[in-house]
Amino acid sequence: MDEEPPTTGGATSRTGPAAAHTAAGHGPARPGEPPTHAAAERKPPTGHRSESSPRPTSRDVARAAGVSQATVSLVLGDKWRGRVSERTAGLVRDAARELGYRPNLAARNLRLGRTRTALLVVPALTNEFFARVYTGAATVAAEHGFGVVLYPSPEGIGPAKDPFASARAALDGVIASSMAAEALTAIRGTDLPLVMLDSDPADPGAAAHVNLDIADGMRQMTDHLLALGHRRFVHLASAVASWTFDVRARALHEHLRDVPDAVVRTVPAPLDVGSARAAVERALIGPGPRPTAILCDDDILAAGACKAVRRLGLRVPEDISVTGFDDLALATAVEPELTTVRLPAERVGERGMSALLAVLDGRPPEEGDLPVNLVVRGSSAAPSS
């Protein structure tokens, strides 16, 4: 039941200096007499406790907010929605902040059987996208008294090599990218709640999925190039086996299927600049009409494609347009700057951590794909022929 603070009698619960003096058994000083020792030392409250002051308790917060301790526990434990009003929750938080109250996390964790630690598994620590995912997850985690441990997916993990054996007891749950394929076998072998990022929503092995609308991003990019007049394409596809890259390829080919004169050639490449450059050079040197646009699965691949075009004596975008995907910092570091699809990486991390918290609390996680958007820059233009 919602519990609102009392609307009358508030003055008796927040006594001023004079009332406190009387309650202590000291009357006011007579005219012409010096104040008592207690009165001389008394100072108005500042809202900040001194180092020697006792640590404020949830009972103090409840008294200051005019609610019960149970309501304080609901609000500060982030379990108030549907049970306590927004106004009451705000009063409790304000009172806790003014008193400098900090919940005893150790006691709470022991009571709930939690460590308040989540593991975020990503394929590479050097990829900016996953660094931004971590930032989003850590921000939400900190707001709820959780920590996030970042773990790069190791190579060659199988059922006999479980990297989480020693850490399992110290974790409440796992958030993992679908690109961290090597680690998934080991993760699925645990009883920890698993939230998957950029993964097949039909996969029953996860407690929740957080996805970007990748297919729509590829459709936006394809429509942009078609509107410019491009019909001959190279799809520089990531050689990494992953649901997110499968979706990009599928969306591209399905979208071009209804364009009668469109021709697309898929060229796979490992996810690094040097491999992408070599793959594009081979594709452009081959026989047949030269493609007018190169659609890349990732900004890193696009940077390699731009290098290949220049090494062959061609220009971007005058001779060949090049587009990326992700909108990493790299997209504006190359010349010309890349036309790309912006993926909200921080939001992915935020939604992933929020989903894990919901699962741990027995609440349904937020559903729906996160939107993405096309960013048009200098690397795309109408074909010259």
Side-chain angles (χ1 to χ4, degrees), residues 311-330:
R311 281 170 61 103
L312 294 173
L314 302 171
R315 298 167 299 164
V316 177
E318 291 83 357
D319 299 308
I320 301 179
S321 290
V322 176
T323 63
F325 217 97
D326 284 358
D327 198 25
L328 305 177
L330 178 63

mmCIF file of all heavy atoms in Angstrom, residues 311-330:
data_model
loop_
_atom_site.group_PDB
_atom_site.id
_atom_site.type_symbol
_atom_site.label_atom_id
_atom_site.label_comp_id
_atom_site.label_asym_id
_atom_site.label_seq_id
_atom_site.Cartn_x
_atom_site.Cartn_y
_atom_site.Cartn_z
ATOM 1 N N ARG A 311 44.883 3.137 -53.384
ATOM 2 C CA ARG A 311 46.062 2.416 -53.877
ATOM 3 C C ARG A 311 45.922 2.038 -55.348
ATOM 4 O O ARG A 311 46.918 1.882 -56.054
ATOM 5 C CB ARG A 311 46.290 1.157 -53.038
ATOM 6 C CG ARG A 311 46.967 1.442 -51.694
ATOM 7 C CD ARG A 311 46.947 0.213 -50.809
ATOM 8 N NE ARG A 311 47.664 -0.908 -51.398
ATOM 9 C CZ ARG A 311 48.886 -1.301 -51.026
ATOM 10 N NH1 ARG A 311 49.534 -0.637 -50.080
ATOM 11 N NH2 ARG A 311 49.459 -2.350 -51.592
ATOM 12 N N LEU A 312 44.702 1.913 -55.825
ATOM 13 C CA LEU A 312 44.458 1.584 -57.226
ATOM 14 C C LEU A 312 44.337 2.831 -58.091
ATOM 15 O O LEU A 312 43.986 2.752 -59.276
ATOM 16 C CB LEU A 312 43.191 0.729 -57.355
ATOM 17 C CG LEU A 312 43.286 -0.672 -56.722
ATOM 18 C CD1 LEU A 312 41.927 -1.369 -56.762
ATOM 19 C CD2 LEU A 312 44.333 -1.520 -57.463
ATOM 20 N N GLY A 313 44.625 3.995 -57.518
ATOM 21 C CA GLY A 313 44.587 5.233 -58.298
ATOM 22 C C GLY A 313 43.199 5.792 -58.507
ATOM 23 O O GLY A 313 43.002 6.651 -59.380
ATOM 24 N N LEU A 314 42.233 5.347 -57.693
ATOM 25 C CA LEU A 314 40.850 5.825 -57.801
ATOM 26 C C LEU A 314 40.532 6.758 -56.642
ATOM 27 O O LEU A 314 41.309 6.892 -55.703
ATOM 28 C CB LEU A 314 39.885 4.635 -57.818
ATOM 29 C CG LEU A 314 40.123 3.609 -58.939
ATOM 30 C CD1 LEU A 314 39.255 2.373 -58.740
ATOM 31 C CD2 LEU A 314 39.867 4.248 -60.310
ATOM 32 N N ARG A 315 39.372 7.386 -56.727
ATOM 33 C CA ARG A 315 38.992 8.361 -55.720
ATOM 34 C C ARG A 315 37.664 7.991 -55.061
ATOM 35 O O ARG A 315 36.782 7.429 -55.705
ATOM 36 C CB ARG A 315 38.864 9.758 -56.351
ATOM 37 C CG ARG A 315 40.146 10.311 -56.954
ATOM 38 C CD ARG A 315 39.847 11.517 -57.815
ATOM 39 N NE ARG A 315 38.951 11.159 -58.922
ATOM 40 C CZ ARG A 315 38.267 12.025 -59.666
ATOM 41 N NH1 ARG A 315 38.404 13.336 -59.413
ATOM 42 N NH2 ARG A 315 37.495 11.621 -60.649
ATOM 43 N N VAL A 316 37.573 8.323 -53.755
ATOM 44 C CA VAL A 316 36.319 8.181 -53.007
ATOM 45 C C VAL A 316 35.797 9.596 -52.726
ATOM 46 O O VAL A 316 36.522 10.436 -52.182
ATOM 47 C CB VAL A 316 36.569 7.456 -51.659
ATOM 48 C CG1 VAL A 316 35.274 7.382 -50.844
ATOM 49 C CG2 VAL A 316 37.154 6.072 -51.860
ATOM 50 N N PRO A 317 34.558 9.938 -53.146
ATOM 51 C CA PRO A 317 33.547 9.077 -53.760
ATOM 52 C C PRO A 317 33.427 9.270 -55.271
ATOM 53 O O PRO A 317 32.499 8.724 -55.877
ATOM 54 C CB PRO A 317 32.286 9.564 -53.068
ATOM 55 C CG PRO A 317 32.508 11.061 -52.972
ATOM 56 C CD PRO A 317 33.979 11.222 -52.706
ATOM 57 N N GLU A 318 34.326 10.059 -55.869
ATOM 58 C CA GLU A 318 34.148 10.388 -57.293
ATOM 59 C C GLU A 318 34.093 9.145 -58.169
ATOM 60 O O GLU A 318 33.293 9.074 -59.116
ATOM 61 C CB GLU A 318 35.278 11.310 -57.753
ATOM 62 C CG GLU A 318 35.237 12.710 -57.151
ATOM 63 C CD GLU A 318 35.865 12.785 -55.773
ATOM 64 O OE1 GLU A 318 36.295 11.723 -55.248
ATOM 65 O OE2 GLU A 318 35.938 13.900 -55.227
ATOM 66 N N ASP A 319 34.956 8.157 -57.901
ATOM 67 C CA ASP A 319 34.967 6.926 -58.699
ATOM 68 C C ASP A 319 34.183 5.794 -58.038
ATOM 69 O O ASP A 319 33.492 5.033 -58.723
ATOM 70 C CB ASP A 319 36.411 6.480 -58.941
ATOM 71 C CG ASP A 319 37.212 7.526 -59.701
ATOM 72 O OD1 ASP A 319 36.735 7.967 -60.763
ATOM 73 O OD2 ASP A 319 38.294 7.918 -59.218
ATOM 74 N N ILE A 320 34.298 5.688 -56.733
ATOM 75 C CA ILE A 320 33.601 4.637 -55.988
ATOM 76 C C ILE A 320 33.165 5.195 -54.635
ATOM 77 O O ILE A 320 33.983 5.783 -53.907
ATOM 78 C CB ILE A 320 34.496 3.399 -55.753
ATOM 79 C CG1 ILE A 320 34.972 2.812 -57.082
ATOM 80 C CG2 ILE A 320 33.746 2.331 -54.956
ATOM 81 C CD1 ILE A 320 35.887 1.609 -56.913
ATOM 82 N N SER A 321 31.905 5.017 -54.305
ATOM 83 C CA SER A 321 31.417 5.369 -52.978
ATOM 84 C C SER A 321 31.727 4.231 -52.012
ATOM 85 O O SER A 321 31.691 3.056 -52.382
ATOM 86 C CB SER A 321 29.904 5.623 -53.006
ATOM 87 O OG SER A 321 29.590 6.808 -53.700
ATOM 88 N N VAL A 322 32.035 4.598 -50.775
ATOM 89 C CA VAL A 322 32.317 3.604 -49.727
ATOM 90 C C VAL A 322 31.489 3.963 -48.498
ATOM 91 O O VAL A 322 31.482 5.126 -48.068
ATOM 92 C CB VAL A 322 33.816 3.576 -49.352
ATOM 93 C CG1 VAL A 322 34.055 2.606 -48.188
ATOM 94 C CG2 VAL A 322 34.667 3.194 -50.553
ATOM 95 N N THR A 323 30.795 2.987 -47.948
ATOM 96 C CA THR A 323 29.975 3.235 -46.761
ATOM 97 C C THR A 323 30.350 2.265 -45.641
ATOM 98 O O THR A 323 30.801 1.150 -45.895
ATOM 99 C CB THR A 323 28.469 3.101 -47.057
ATOM 100 O OG1 THR A 323 28.173 1.757 -47.453
ATOM 101 C CG2 THR A 323 28.067 4.063 -48.166
ATOM 102 N N GLY A 324 30.135 2.708 -44.404
ATOM 103 C CA GLY A 324 30.456 1.888 -43.241
ATOM 104 C C GLY A 324 29.236 1.503 -42.442
ATOM 105 O O GLY A 324 28.094 1.608 -42.912
ATOM 106 N N PHE A 325 29.481 1.086 -41.205
ATOM 107 C CA PHE A 325 28.407 0.674 -40.309
ATOM 108 C C PHE A 325 28.967 0.740 -38.887
ATOM 109 O O PHE A 325 30.065 0.223 -38.640
ATOM 110 C CB PHE A 325 27.973 -0.771 -40.612
ATOM 111 C CG PHE A 325 26.493 -1.037 -40.483
ATOM 112 C CD1 PHE A 325 25.657 -1.010 -41.587
ATOM 113 C CD2 PHE A 325 25.945 -1.320 -39.247
ATOM 114 C CE1 PHE A 325 24.292 -1.263 -41.461
ATOM 115 C CE2 PHE A 325 24.592 -1.579 -39.104
ATOM 116 C CZ PHE A 325 23.761 -1.551 -40.215
ATOM 117 N N ASP A 326 28.287 1.395 -37.967
ATOM 118 C CA ASP A 326 28.610 1.507 -36.541
ATOM 119 C C ASP A 326 28.768 2.963 -36.121
ATOM 120 O O ASP A 326 28.381 3.335 -35.040
ATOM 121 C CB ASP A 326 29.895 0.770 -36.123
ATOM 122 C CG ASP A 326 29.719 -0.743 -36.025
ATOM 123 O OD1 ASP A 326 28.598 -1.220 -36.246
ATOM 124 O OD2 ASP A 326 30.719 -1.424 -35.743
ATOM 125 N N ASP A 327 29.391 3.794 -36.958
ATOM 126 C CA ASP A 327 29.734 5.176 -36.638
ATOM 127 C C ASP A 327 30.705 5.241 -35.469
ATOM 128 O O ASP A 327 30.463 5.898 -34.449
ATOM 129 C CB ASP A 327 28.494 6.028 -36.346
ATOM 130 C CG ASP A 327 28.806 7.525 -36.445
ATOM 131 O OD1 ASP A 327 29.756 7.879 -37.161
ATOM 132 O OD2 ASP A 327 28.102 8.329 -35.801
ATOM 133 N N LEU A 328 31.836 4.584 -35.645
ATOM 134 C CA LEU A 328 32.929 4.675 -34.687
ATOM 135 C C LEU A 328 33.645 6.014 -34.870
ATOM 136 O O LEU A 328 33.407 6.731 -35.847
ATOM 137 C CB LEU A 328 33.918 3.525 -34.904
ATOM 138 C CG LEU A 328 33.348 2.104 -34.883
ATOM 139 C CD1 LEU A 328 34.447 1.104 -35.194
ATOM 140 C CD2 LEU A 328 32.693 1.793 -33.554
ATOM 141 N N ALA A 329 34.547 6.346 -33.953
ATOM 142 C CA ALA A 329 35.347 7.567 -34.104
ATOM 143 C C ALA A 329 36.143 7.529 -35.400
ATOM 144 O O ALA A 329 36.425 8.566 -36.008
ATOM 145 C CB ALA A 329 36.281 7.721 -32.906
ATOM 146 N N LEU A 330 36.478 6.318 -35.851
ATOM 147 C CA LEU A 330 37.211 6.137 -37.098
ATOM 148 C C LEU A 330 36.475 6.736 -38.284
ATOM 149 O O LEU A 330 37.097 7.182 -39.261
ATOM 150 C CB LEU A 330 37.436 4.635 -37.323
ATOM 151 C CG LEU A 330 38.150 4.181 -38.599
ATOM 152 C CD1 LEU A 330 39.572 4.718 -38.615
ATOM 153 C CD2 LEU A 330 38.144 2.657 -38.682
#
